């Protein structure tokens, strides 16, 4: 069973950048499609970005397209989310997730989740 640990969350001013990392143990990430999701207080968890096993296909929520980039380094067993031009509405707990199935934007497809990392964007 793979374990996922997110890091890199922080407090940042609007317009700033952050890079989140998701490190895996207990399994090789090249067996999994990966996704990033986020949840703001009082809101449901929502899709942010996803990447296929090989990294050849990526998907983004419209709200982050052009600002966020998902990538993976299977040799390091790590997935990244580069976030640029951050906005206050990006404030949320960010989660990475893994699935053995085809890459998806649907949270229910993902089998393994990290504990989350807090991103706070001040205006």
């Amino acid at each position: 069973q793979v374990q996922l640990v997110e890091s890199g969350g922080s407090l940042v001013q609007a317009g700033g950048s952050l890079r989140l990392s998701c490190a895996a143990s207990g399994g090789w990430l090249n067996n999994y499609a990966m996704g990033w999701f986020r949840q703001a207080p009082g809101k449901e968890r929502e899709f942010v970005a996803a990447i296929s096993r090989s990294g050849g296909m990526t998907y983004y929520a419209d709200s982050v397209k052009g600002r966020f980039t998902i990538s993976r380094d299977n040799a390091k067993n790590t997935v990244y989310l580069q976030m640029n031009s951050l906005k206050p509405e990006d404030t949320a707990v960010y989660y990475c997730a893994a699935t053995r199935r085809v890459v998806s934007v649907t949270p229910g497809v993902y089998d393994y989740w990290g504990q989350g990392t807090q991103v706070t964007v001040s205006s």
Side-chain angles (χ1 to χ4, degrees), residues 51-73:
I51 189 167
S52 61
R53 287 182 183 83
S54 67
M57 292 187 295
T58 57
Y59 302 88
Y60 297 94
D62 288 343
S63 59
V64 307
K65 203 171 292 183
R67 300 188 297 122
F68 291 11
T69 303
I70 188 171
S71 62
R72 64 191 302 158
D73 186 336

Side-chain angles (χ1 to χ4, degrees), residues 10-18 84-88 120-123:
S10 182
L11 171 64
V12 63
Q13 288 190 333
S17 297
L18 283 175
N84 299 328
S85 303
L86 283 161
K87 304 175 181 180
T120 303
V121 184
S122 63
S123 57

Side-chain angles (χ1 to χ4, degrees), residues 10-106:
S10 182
L11 171 64
V12 63
Q13 288 190 333
S17 297
L18 283 175
R19 188 176 81 157
L20 305 184
S21 299
C22 173
S25 61
W28 292 108
L29 278 188
N30 58 4
N31 292 321
Y32 299 88
M34 300 296 296
W36 284 97
F37 295 80
R38 67 187 181 186
Q39 189 167 17
K43 295 188 177 181
E44 292 188 354
R45 191 168 297 188
E46 65 173 0
F47 168 74
V48 175
I51 189 167
S52 61
R53 287 182 183 83
S54 67
M57 292 187 295
T58 57
Y59 302 88
Y60 297 94
D62 288 343
S63 59
V64 307
K65 203 171 292 183
R67 300 188 297 122
F68 291 11
T69 303
I70 188 171
S71 62
R72 64 191 302 158
D73 186 336
N74 286 338
K76 294 183 177 179
N77 234 22
T78 302
V79 175
Y80 304 98
L81 185 68
Q82 178 67 43
M83 305 187 296
N84 299 328
S85 303
L86 283 161
K87 304 175 181 180
E89 50 263 43
D90 294 319
T91 295
V93 177
Y94 283 71
Y95 300 88
C96 70
T99 178
R100 285 188 174 271
R101 286 167 277 188
V102 175
V103 63
S104 173
V105 305
T106 305

